[in-house]
Amino acid sequence: MLISFTRPYDYLPWVNMLVVFPLTWLLTVISTAATFAFFRSQGQASFTSCFKQVALRIQPLMLTGLITGVAVALGLLIILPAIYFVAIYLFVPCVVLARPQMNVFEALAHSTRLTRKAIWSVLAFAVVVIVWGLLMGQVESALEAQGLGQEVSYLIKAVIALSLSAWVNSIISLLYFRLDAAPDKAL
């Protein structure tokens, strides 16, 4: 018997917004923080030690992830606010790990300050990330339409998503280092 990959949110859109989006968002925060921990170690940290660093800061990461996720979800009602919120809160996982002395609201504010140093570049990157997310939803449908079946198309989509997520998280981490080291004037 094959495992069914039918997704409940295909039939109940509210499940997507109330369950799938928050879980995906929080997992994105954790993966971005772990990628940042790896880059901060200059590639010397193991997978386990990166996630141990994340585990030590899990509470502020989850709280900032919740706040930024709500802002983006509300912004999705009108596309431009969603892009803005993704951009200004892009560096929050990095800030939470790099500056453990900051509380949640200071981390949110610091991410906003970093974004303002290169606002147009960060906004452009946020648009690319959002478009990529929207396209990923279309990839699975296109694969299913090719007759590959849900299981195969789900597996292909997962491989693509993991590969692109690593790229996105790497760019976020490297941008953080560049902007955090830069003076407060715009780059």
Side-chain angles (χ1 to χ4, degrees):
M1 180 174 160
L2 289 175
I3 298 171
S4 173
F5 284 90
T6 303
R7 301 161 305 208
Y9 54 90
D10 283 343
Y11 307 105
L12 303 169
W14 61 269
V15 172
N16 191 10
M17 194 58 162
L18 297 177
V19 177
V20 176
F21 176 78
L23 287 174
T24 303
W25 189 265
L26 293 175
L27 289 173
T28 299
V29 168
I30 290 169
S31 70
T32 301
T35 304
F36 174 78
F38 178 77
F39 276 100
R40 185 171 61 176
S41 75
Q42 298 178 347
Q44 301 301 310
S46 68
F47 178 80
T48 305
S49 68
C50 290
F51 278 97
K52 282 182 182 177
Q53 290 177 47
V54 171
L56 292 172
R57 302 289 298 148
I58 198 70
Q59 187 175 11
L61 280 168
M62 292 296 98
L63 190 52
T64 56
L66 179 66
I67 292 168
T68 58
V70 167
V72 169
L74 291 174
L76 287 173
L77 299 174
I78 305 170
I79 297 299
L80 289 179
I83 295 169
Y84 175 75
F85 289 130
V86 166
I88 66 170
Y89 297 136
L90 194 63
F91 304 110
V92 168
C94 304
V95 174
V96 169
L97 282 189
R99 299 175 182 262
Q101 73 282 7
M102 287 185 171
N103 68 38
V104 169
F105 298 104
E106 291 169 333
L108 294 167
H110 189 66
S111 179
T112 303
R113 280 192 300 276
L114 291 173
T115 300
R116 287 188 180 142
K117 291 181 181 183
I119 187 69
W120 295 113
S121 298
V122 176
L123 277 171
F125 183 69
V127 167
V128 168
V129 170
I130 289 169
V131 168
W132 165 73
L134 295 172
L135 289 175
M136 286 307 297
Q138 299 303 311
V139 167
E140 187 172 6
S141 298
L143 290 170
E144 287 175 16
Q146 294 298 316
L148 296 175
Q150 282 184 322
E151 294 82 5
V152 173
S153 65
Y154 183 80
L155 179 64
I156 293 170
K157 181 182 170 192
V159 169
I160 293 168
L162 288 172
S163 302
L164 292 175
S165 293
W167 173 78
V168 168
N169 290 338
S170 298
I171 298 295
I172 292 169
S173 297
L174 295 172
L175 269 173
Y176 171 84
F177 290 123
R178 179 175 175 236
L179 294 173
D180 197 47
D184 282 336
K185 64 180 179 173
L187 293 177

